[in-house]
């Protein structure tokens, strides 16, 4: 999805919640960047409140990647795209879900959090 320089970020988690509500029998996976997740991370509590089992994978590169790319394309200097992130796995636990730090992430330090009875993703995904 592209916003045509309108920075449409933060849709991953709300979109996953909508998908789970529309098809509760299906497994739902949300793969999102840290910037996009941070824009809607309060919605994780909604997934917990309504007992919506899903897997959320956060690709944590500590920046607003979409904005950084748009700045590069326009030949602007990179400005204001770096992020200071919380411990997303701990955040999931505090919200009533389950959080697992990414152990095998190479290019990024990602994480995985989910809510429900399913098993956590294996370390070698």
């Amino acid at each position: 999805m592209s916003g045509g320089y309108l920075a449409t970020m933060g849709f991953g988690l709300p979109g996953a919640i909508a998908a789970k509500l529309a098809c509760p029998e299906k497994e739902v996976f949300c793969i999102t960047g840290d910037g996009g997740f941070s824009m809607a991370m309060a919605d994780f509590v909604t997934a917990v409140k309504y007992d919506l089992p899903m897997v959320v994978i956060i690709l944590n590169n500590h920046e607003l990647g979409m904005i950084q790319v748009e700045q590069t394309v326009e030949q602007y200097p990179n400005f204001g795209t770096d992020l200071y992130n919380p411990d997303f796995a701990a955040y999931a636990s505090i919200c009533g879900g389950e959080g697992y730090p990414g152990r095998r992430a190479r290019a990024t330090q990602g994480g995985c959090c989910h809510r429900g009875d399913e098993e956590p993703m294996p370390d070698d995904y």
Side-chain angles (χ1 to χ4, degrees):
M1 173 179 278
S2 175
Y5 296 109
L6 297 178
T8 52
M9 296 172 59
F11 176 75
L13 182 59
I17 290 171
K20 191 64 178 177
L21 288 170
C23 300
E25 73 286 355
K26 302 272 186 175
E27 289 185 1
V28 173
F29 293 83
C30 171
I31 302 174
T32 183
D34 53 345
F37 182 78
S38 295
M39 291 178 181
M41 64 194 290
D43 290 343
F44 189 81
V45 175
T46 301
V48 171
K49 177 181 178 179
Y50 292 104
D51 195 25
L52 302 173
M54 66 181 69
V55 175
V56 178
I57 299 171
I58 302 167
L59 305 175
N60 188 357
N61 65 355
H62 300 279
E63 72 177 0
L64 298 171
M66 178 182 257
I67 306 302
Q68 193 276 332
V69 168
E70 289 176 352
Q71 289 176 354
T72 300
V73 167
E74 293 299 323
Q75 299 178 350
Y76 295 138
N78 184 9
F79 177 78
T81 61
D82 59 320
L83 298 174
Y84 180 79
N85 292 326
D87 178 337
F88 291 118
Y91 175 79
S93 297
I94 289 167
C95 290
E98 297 177 31
Y100 303 92
R103 293 181 189 94
R104 297 268 178 123
R106 292 191 179 133
T108 62
Q109 292 300 314
C112 172
C113 53
H114 73 108
R115 168 73 177 137
D117 296 329
E118 68 274 329
E119 293 294 316
M121 294 180 71
D123 288 343
D124 58 353
Y125 61 91

